[in-house]
Amino acid sequence: MKNVPELFGSLCFNEATMKARLPKETYKALKRTIDENVPLSEDVATIVANAMKDWAIELGATHYTHWFQPMTGATAEKHDSFIAPTDDGRAIMEFSGKELIKGEPDASSFPNGGLRATFEARGYTAWDPTSYAFIKEGILCIPTAFCSYGGHALDKKTPLLRSMEAVSEQAMRIVKLFGMENVKQITSTVGAEQEYFLIDKEAAYKRKDITYTGRTLFGSNPPKGQELDDHYFGVLKGRVAAYMKEVNEELWKLGILAKTQHNEVAPAQHELAPIFVTTNLATDQNQLTMEILKKVALKHGMVCLLHEKPFEGVNGSGKHNNWSLSTDTGVNLLNPGKTPSENAQFLVFLCAVIAAADEYQALFRISAASAGNDHRLGAAEAPPAVMSMFLGEDLDAVLSAIENDRPYKDKEGAKMDTGATVIPDLPKDNTDRNRTSPFAFTGNKFEFRMVGSNQSIADANIVINTTVAKELDDFATYLEGQDNLVEAVHEIVKKTMRMHRRIIFNGNGYDDAWLKEAERRELLNLPTTVDAVEHLLDDENIELYEKYGVYTREELEANYDIYMENYAKIIHIEASSMIKMSQKEIIPMAIEYAKELCDAGNAKRASGIEMSTFAEDDLAKKISKQTERLYKATEALELAVLEAETITESDKAARFYCDKVLPVMEKLRKPADTIEFASPRYKWPYPTYGDLLLSVKE
Ligand code: ADP
Ligand code: MG
């Protein structure tokens, strides 16, 4: 292996490569495009395309693709080769500026929520020069946005870029007020920690549910659960360590700063964290990270499960979306800073996030809405489906002191004059001690923990950026008219605390008492994806997104449809898999086992053994009773699915799957799990939870 600095970014057309390979003038023009959003001319694009092609070919690439993220949250690519014919029958490798800037995939089968009428069945992709091109399996991948000819966003990157612009513009107004004149641009930064499970491939493939749906639809709890807690931060098993090493190398080659890795709470669960970068890059990189985690696992004889809740009763997997705002001069705007002025500016940004989280609770919840994540939110060691935020006692005390015009006293009794706010050194959260909060302030950034492990982080960041932009806009408009900045900031703190204090919760979010308290505070509790997404088209949300140019009403309507459609599709696949597994394997096994038991009991009786009761009879009865239940529930599920299939409107179908299909699935699972529990190991047709969770042994 090459050394890490040599490896790092070797498959990525990053700034160093651009600088080395582009003529000075071209590099400068491209930099202006990247840093200041100046449009790229076709002449410049042609030179860049050529350099990119030569670089890619040297590294073995033969094809290129416009790599994009359709609204489903996956990634998509269509490969074109560089090859072009010459007049004399030979072939040359070509890649034009036009091809770099714009592509036209025949993408009529990507979900568009009705945005593309048939007469404009094709969309086009446009290069996002702020995210580096990279090489993946011999293909030059060009990160792109995907739009319809009508200009509607058909992907997640377009609204994400728009939201970054919105928050940058409003944040600029604030920093100007505080005298940061040399700041040219503000970007939102993100570091997405990724959780996942590793299961031995052979064991995983024996489970049809894992194969078809990514999660177990059956399974009674494992004998060795996570209660032993010896896995968390424990020593890595050899296979896992070798896997992580290769994952890191692959990520480093793509210029992804994979930094930390460790075992997570549940057996077989792990986490990977990168160093933060700008939001759109972080989003692209997280998509790539998920792809690489899965691909490398297969090479190592394992399956990487990214599902949010692969095992019932065991910790689920999420993504911790660490978010902050940074100036191009390197100042983190959520860092309290050392001087009173920095402190006051910090308070404005802090209040904007508080107000945003409270005012747009539904949007935050929707950004983490998926059929898979519904099983995780509110269950075993995951934040509840109620939005709240954690500030920590120290910061809370600072805000309360300002709110009540009281001097702030820290723990040592030192006073703080609220006239010139000085914020004490806040402890950075290194301990995960507040893992229970959906949205936690961790010293110099916010960590949004609702996002599911399998989801794109684009949605979460679109919501954070846009809602914070809106609050900053309001604050800036107020502050711009005030003479005494510090006093005005205190007014903002007071008003924010008066109106939005209810969203702040520093206690244990896993506690049932919190749900009652949240209800008392009238916070939204949206337990399912359907409950959440039904709020997407609320007036205030459409107004917000249109005002900041992030989504048009039509785009939001399309997103609404796609959310609902996806949800219905997933439950449909799960229900169908359950029916198949029950009919083809579990019921036949149970019938056969009951017969064996009856035969055994009869054989004993025939040979004259006399006993008051026979274990065989008892067991046969128990199995038969559960088989009957299982059979009926399977029939009921079949009927429910048939009815669901007749519903054509996406939201009505989703509602039906949620209310009428899911409960029957749960009803079906219970007898099956009881049968598993009561059956001998050699009879049960699948590896058990114990087998799966401990399948990677050394
Ligand atoms: P811990 O959560 O253990 O305290 P860190 O805070 O260093 O560890 O990092 C957690 C994640 O947050 C990492 O992915 C890191 O890159 C990211 N992060 C750190 N600072 C920022 C920031 N200013 N903006 C966005 N993400 C950040
Ligand atoms: Mg963390």
Side-chain angles (χ1 to χ4, degrees):
M1 175 190 141
K2 288 193 225 169
N3 64 32
V4 176
E6 226 175 290
L7 204 66
F8 189 81
S10 58
L11 293 182
C12 176
F13 200 71
N14 56 18
E15 299 225 1
T17 313
M18 289 180 201
K19 212 171 191 168
R21 291 193 167 247
L22 294 173
K24 234 191 193 126
E25 283 313 306
T26 314
Y27 173 72
K28 267 198 208 149
L30 184 57
K31 270 295 275 177
R32 268 201 305 281
T33 301
I34 294 170
D35 296 339
E36 297 160 40
N37 278 329
V38 179
L40 202 64
S41 73
E42 202 178 313
D43 291 349
V44 174
T46 301
I47 303 172
V48 176
N50 233 320
M52 228 186 237
K53 178 203 68 183
D54 290 344
W55 167 80
I57 288 173
E58 278 168 37
L59 290 164
T62 51
H63 289 65
Y64 70 93
T65 182
H66 280 206
W67 184 77
F68 61 99
Q69 296 162 39
M71 288 195 273
T72 50
T75 56
E77 42 195 82
K78 172 193 164 223
H79 306 157
D80 280 302
S81 88
F82 292 123
I83 205 159
T86 59
D87 291 341
D88 55 358
R90 292 173 307 120
I92 51 166
M93 300 296 252
E94 252 184 15
F95 184 46
S96 70
K98 249 202 205 126
E99 285 165 322
L100 167 64
I101 295 180
K102 201 165 166 177
E104 302 188 13
D106 176 21
S108 39
S109 59
F110 287 106
N112 58 67
L115 274 181
R116 261 175 298 133
T118 34
F119 63 85
E120 55 157 37
R122 289 183 312 171
Y124 69 90
T125 52
W127 182 32
D128 165 20
T130 60
S131 181
Y132 303 132
F134 55 90
I135 296 172
K136 190 167 60 92
E137 288 170 1
I139 292 149
L140 169 66
C141 298
I142 299 148
T144 49
F146 180 34
C147 295
S148 78
Y149 278 104
H152 289 301
L154 294 172
D155 68 347
K156 292 193 185 288
K157 187 186 267 285
T158 309
L160 181 64
L161 291 170
R162 293 171 180 164
S163 77
M164 289 171 70
E165 265 175 55
V167 75
S168 175
E169 189 183 321
Q170 301 306 328
M172 284 295 286
R173 290 171 65 196
I174 304 285
V175 303
K176 286 268 139 69
L177 285 167
F178 285 90
M180 297 177 90
E181 291 298 335
N182 53 346
V183 173
K184 278 218 227 45
Q185 209 186 5
I186 290 171
T187 51
S188 55
T189 51
V190 166
E193 300 165 62
Q194 175 75 48
E195 292 179 336
Y196 59 92
F197 278 87
L198 283 178
I199 305 295
D200 183 78
K201 187 157 80 177
E202 225 176 286
Y205 283 177
K206 284 188 187 141
R207 299 275 316 207
K208 297 216 165 55
D209 43 6
I210 292 183
T211 310
Y212 295 141
T213 72
R215 76 173 178 113
T216 56
L217 300 167
F218 298 100
S220 59
N221 275 339
K224 178 179 155 66
Q226 67 205 49
E227 55 273 10
L228 292 177
D229 241 1
D230 55 352
H231 181 73
Y232 192 41
F233 278 64
V235 179
L236 296 178
K237 289 170 182 151
R239 271 176 86 186
V240 176
Y243 163 77
M244 286 180 173
K245 181 169 179 284
E246 189 171 342
V247 166
N248 283 337
E249 283 167 17
E250 290 305 314
L251 293 175
W252 288 335
K253 282 187 212 163
L254 292 171
I256 299 173
L257 290 147
K259 173 88 173 155
T260 61
Q261 59 198 28
H262 60 79
N263 286 348
E264 257 300 331
V265 180
Q269 194 184 26
H270 309 280
E271 183 190 290
L272 181 147
I275 292 176
F276 68 95
V277 286
T278 55
T279 309
N280 65 322
L281 204 55
T283 305
D284 287 356
Q285 294 188 345
N286 183 252
Q287 296 294 128
L288 281 172
T289 301
M290 291 194 281
E291 193 179 320
I292 284 168
L293 281 172
K294 285 197 268 195
K295 216 178 275 168
V296 175
L298 292 177
K299 271 178 72 180
H300 287 251
M302 299 184 285
V303 170
C304 172
L305 299 181
L306 290 175
H307 194 282
E308 284 79 10
K309 196 76 177 175
F311 305 97
E312 200 174 274
V314 176
N315 263 18
S317 298
K319 207 133 36 190
H320 293 174
N321 187 87
N322 294 272
W323 179 93
S324 191
L325 289 171
S326 211
T327 66
D328 58 344
T329 52
V331 179
N332 176 355
L333 296 169
L334 284 174
N335 199 334
K338 295 267 178 260
T339 66
S341 164
E342 285 170 351
N343 279 183
Q345 180 179 288
F346 162 73
L347 286 173
V348 174
F349 284 100
L350 179 70
C351 285
V353 183
I354 296 172
D358 184 39
E359 213 175 315
Y360 296 99
Q361 290 166 47
L363 289 183
F364 279 80
R365 170 65 182 92
I366 293 167
S367 78
S370 75
N373 211 22
D374 282 357
H375 298 290
R376 167 179 166 261
L377 295 177
E381 297 271 313
V386 178
M387 180 64 188
S388 72
M389 67 202 294
F390 169 95
L391 294 183
E393 282 169 26
D394 295 313
L395 192 53
D396 201 323
V398 172
L399 294 173
S400 299
I402 298 172
E403 181 187 5
N404 301 306
D405 288 318
R406 269 200 327 257
Y408 169 76
K409 258 195 227 157
D410 72 11
K411 286 197 189 87
E412 277 81 49
K415 278 189 190 174
M416 182 189 86
D417 179 7
T418 50
T421 312
V422 178
I423 294 175
D425 267 346
L426 298 166
K428 301 260 189 302
D429 167 43
N430 288 315
T431 54
D432 267 358
R433 69 197 146 81
N434 49 37
R435 310 171 60 90
T436 69
S437 178
F439 199 36
F441 182 68
T442 52
N444 59 1
K445 63 186 187 293
F446 273 93
E447 189 168 326
F448 184 51
R449 297 165 172 154
M450 272 184 163
V451 185
S453 48
N454 207 9
Q455 293 184 290
S456 158
I457 57 169
D459 291 305
N461 290 299
I462 291 167
V463 170
I464 303 175
N465 288 341
T466 313
T467 58
V468 170
K470 188 263 177 193
E471 308 300 343
L472 290 175
D473 184 359
D474 289 354
F475 292 166
T477 304
Y478 167 72
L479 289 173
E480 279 157 5
Q482 302 297 312
D483 299 328
N484 187 331
L485 198 56
V486 171
E487 229 168 67
V489 169
H490 284 201
E491 272 315 305
I492 283 178
V493 173
K494 285 178 190 175
K495 192 166 164 227
T496 304
M497 291 305 272
R498 261 201 314 274
M499 291 177 64
H500 305 295
R501 176 174 262 296
R502 63 174 186 169
I503 200 72
I504 301 168
F505 175 63
N506 295 320
N508 182 0
Y510 297 169
D511 203 339
D512 281 343
W514 162 237
L515 285 186
K516 289 212 185 73
E517 166 66 11
E519 196 180 332
R520 198 191 58 74
R521 295 188 190 187
E522 295 183 2
L523 296 174
L524 276 178
N525 185 356
L526 303 168
T528 71
T529 291
V530 183
D531 298 321
V533 176
E534 280 171 352
H535 283 276
L536 183 63
L537 300 177
D538 288 354
D539 289 344
E540 71 259 28
N541 297 335
I542 297 179
E543 207 174 290
L544 170 84
Y545 280 130
E546 291 208 316
K547 177 162 183 196
Y548 295 98
V550 173
Y551 283 118
T552 62
R553 173 189 289 273
E554 292 75 20
E555 287 167 350
L556 275 179
E557 284 168 353
N559 266 284
Y560 173 87
D561 258 349
I562 287 163
Y563 262 118
M564 294 293 195
E565 230 170 72
N566 261 345
Y567 178 87
K569 237 183 238 165
I570 287 168
I571 310 287
H572 180 83
I573 294 172
E574 290 186 349
S576 309
S577 305
M578 259 189 142
I579 294 169
K580 272 223 179 80
M581 289 170 79
S582 171
Q583 282 175 341
K584 304 241 173 263
E585 281 151 340
I586 305 175
I587 292 178
M589 172 246 131
I591 290 173
E592 189 185 88
Y593 182 42
K595 180 171 184 301
E596 280 174 27
L597 288 166
C598 291
D599 289 351
N602 288 340
K604 276 190 183 171
R605 271 183 287 270
S607 65
I609 296 175
E610 281 177 33
M611 292 184 62
S612 54
T613 57
F614 283 86
E616 289 86 346
D617 293 352
D618 262 9
L619 253 175
K621 238 184 244 161
K622 189 171 175 182
I623 299 281
S624 301
K625 209 161 122 195
Q626 298 300 331
T627 311
E628 205 58 28
R629 280 199 189 144
L630 180 58
Y631 175 71
K632 287 202 173 114
T634 308
E635 270 202 318
L637 188 57
E638 263 189 294
L639 287 176
V641 169
L642 279 177
E643 190 174 343
E645 282 170 346
T646 63
I647 307 172
T648 48
E649 276 159 278
S650 64
D651 50 358
K652 294 212 172 95
R655 186 36 88 194
F656 188 88
Y657 275 104
C658 181
D659 292 349
K660 300 283 192 261
V661 178
L662 264 182
V664 187
M665 287 167 63
E666 267 159 44
K667 216 164 148 189
L668 191 158
R669 177 172 182 151
K670 279 200 193 100
D673 288 357
T674 311
I675 292 172
E676 179 195 338
F677 195 72
S679 306
R681 182 167 261 296
Y682 69 89
K683 276 280 166 203
W684 187 248
Y686 312 111
T688 63
Y689 267 26
D691 297 337
L692 291 167
L693 287 166
L694 303 174
S695 60
V696 178
K697 290 194 183 63
E698 46 200 44

